[in-house]
Amino acid sequence: MLHSPRRALQISGAWIGNFTQLAPYQPYFLAATLAFLGTGYWLVHRASKRACVDGQACARPLPNRLVKAALFAATILVMVALGFEFLAPLLLNS
């Protein structure tokens, strides 16, 4: 039996509403996110300066462009998520 999309949205909406219990921990999640992004930028910057020494085996790293693009995209997503919290009341109350 197929469920209607409306019913699925009601169930998921009720389930997502339970995440408000995590609201007191939001500053910790934000700090961890910023720490992970900062570590990512530090590792990318450090990896671009590090070179293989002749005579030693080097692991084949991911293409630096791909890693930088993914890190930049993750940063944009985090900024949008943080900004939405402040802009949502302005946009939704209009």
Side-chain angles (χ1 to χ4, degrees):
M1 182 171 151
L2 295 173
H3 297 286
S4 71
R6 175 183 260 175
R7 176 131 172 104
L9 288 175
Q10 290 171 348
I11 292 172
S12 66
W15 179 75
I16 289 173
N18 289 331
F19 283 137
T20 58
Q21 294 173 350
L22 297 175
Y25 303 107
Q26 184 177 7
Y28 300 113
F29 289 128
L30 178 60
T33 301
L34 294 177
F36 288 136
L37 284 174
T39 303
Y41 277 105
W42 180 74
L43 288 173
V44 166
H45 180 68
R46 185 186 73 161
S48 64
K49 290 185 174 184
R50 205 171 84 198
C52 293
V53 178
D54 290 335
Q56 290 185 354
C58 291
R60 184 172 175 238
L62 286 172
N64 206 15
R65 273 186 160 171
L66 176 66
V67 173
K68 285 182 179 180
L71 190 57
F72 185 71
T75 303
I76 295 296
L77 284 174
V78 169
M79 290 173 64
V80 167
L82 290 175
F84 185 75
E85 180 181 348
F86 298 108
L87 292 176
L90 298 174
L91 297 174
L92 297 176
N93 288 335
S94 298

